[in-house]
Amino acid sequence: MNINGKDYRAIWLSADQVTVEIIDQRYLPFDFVVEPLRNVNEMAIAIKDMHLRGAPCIGVAAGFGVYLAALEAQKKEDWQSFLNQAKDLLLSTRPTAINLHWAINRCFSAIEECHSINEVIKITKKTAQNIADEEVATCAQIGQYGLQIIKELAQKGSAPLNILTHCNAGAMATVDHGTATAPIYAAFEQGINLHVWVDETRPRNQGKITAWEMEQNNIPYTIIPDNTGGYLMMKQKVDMVIVGTDRVAANGDVANKIGTYLKALAAHDNNIPFYVALPSSTYDPQLPEGVHSIPIEERSTQEVLFIEGKDQNNQLKSLQLFSNQAKAANYAFDVTPARLITGFITEKGIFKPEELKEKLK
Ligand code: MRU
């Protein structure tokens, strides 16, 4: 992604080959901070506390986390137990995004036959880098498939084409290009007249990252409070919805940021196409259905009770929104049933829920 004239990924292996660097998303859009991560513990904290976030990016981070663990294991007497502890630590960071499990399992399968820690280091490094590169290529391909849908809708309707998105399923959530945003970037590059409604996405306000990405790409956008989508859809000010996802069950049920389900209901009621963009790494064929089976992360209620922003002195501040006695709940994700989804935009094509099992295996 182009940031102030320089090409960046959300996460990369630094030139020293033993440090992983990430764009620390806690400071966006105000400050551009690169955080170096030097061991598996730092990586686990970065994932859990959302210095980085978004399912594919979490997967890539987990892959690099295994590599960092391998580097540390070199100095341990029992390197195998150290690696197993590192695996458990990484797996415990965030429960909903299946990419975390997928990437960790891929790294550990790759080292199954290794007899020395040096071999493990070599293979985990290569596997983590491959995962990152593949996710970037996958997202670019999602962009090309999604572009076809946008083109068709743009030909039918009046300009600009209004696309609504929830949370951030952009370059910051996926290493580069994004999933939900890749078709938007591809369409904008082709000169299609479009405008993006960006859901604020309380409580963590990932909409600010989407808005920042739109700015970097000169794409017209408007931030809206989370409750606005239904009204806009009724007034025919939304032509399509595209969201990302953290896990898709075998039957096409979709876990995504809390509030996605309400957008899908409103889109269904107003006959507006509702698309989910995902790489294969987000598909979980082991779960027959998602509504009852996908684990939903519950995060600290502090994220609801306080809000972060900059004050007039340009200082980042956290402000209390409710009384000291206030109780809150903070479910980070919800599950949208497959019946509400028009189609899945993947790197292998555009599919209906019932086609996923066959096409993404
Ligand atoms: O809690 P987050 O910010 O990690 O949640 C991110 C989302 O829900 C995204 O929409 C999803 O991971 C898709 S990212 C391509």
Side-chain angles (χ1 to χ4, degrees), residues 50 53-56 58 94 167-169 173-174 179 206 244-246 256-257 333:
M50 293 173 66
R53 36 148 304 284
I58 290 171
R94 297 199 69 189
C167 194
N168 170 262
T174 62
T179 52
Q206 284 91 335
T245 170
D246 294 82
N256 193 47
K257 183 53 54 194
F333 301 94

Side-chain angles (χ1 to χ4, degrees), residues 163-284:
I163 303 174
L164 185 142
T165 190
H166 190 65
C167 194
N168 170 262
M172 287 302 110
T174 62
V175 185
D176 206 353
H177 306 298
T179 52
T181 56
I184 296 174
Y185 295 149
F188 190 71
E189 262 173 35
Q190 293 223 344
I192 294 174
N193 186 355
L194 52 82
H195 162 264
V196 182
W197 295 112
V198 176
D199 276 353
E200 180 190 21
T201 319
R202 279 280 288 151
R204 287 292 294 234
N205 298 313
Q206 284 91 335
K208 66 189 172 187
I209 301 175
T210 303
W212 175 78
E213 285 194 24
M214 293 300 129
E215 274 164 32
Q216 299 301 318
N217 289 283
N218 299 313
I219 297 179
Y221 74 90
T222 307
I223 297 175
I224 46 173
D226 290 323
N227 315 330
T228 310
Y231 169 79
L232 290 175
M233 290 187 212
M234 250 185 182
K235 294 287 173 189
Q236 296 174 339
K237 289 177 190 246
V238 178
D239 297 298
M240 76 183 297
V241 180
I242 318 182
V243 296
T245 170
D246 294 82
R247 189 186 301 220
V248 175
N251 70 342
D253 289 347
V254 166
N256 193 47
K257 183 53 54 194
I258 191 81
T260 302
Y261 172 49
L262 288 175
K263 296 297 135 68
L265 282 173
H268 190 256
D269 197 42
N270 290 282
N271 222 4
I272 291 165
F274 186 97
Y275 284 95
V276 175
L278 75 145
S280 302
S281 54
T282 306
Y283 182 57
D284 185 358

Side-chain angles (χ1 to χ4, degrees), residues 76-96:
K76 311 283 173 190
E77 219 164 276
D78 185 352
W79 57 267
Q80 272 148 331
S81 339
F82 182 81
L83 281 181
N84 286 332
Q85 283 162 20
K87 180 181 184 181
D88 290 345
L89 174 69
L90 288 168
L91 283 172
S92 71
T93 50
R94 297 199 69 189
T96 304

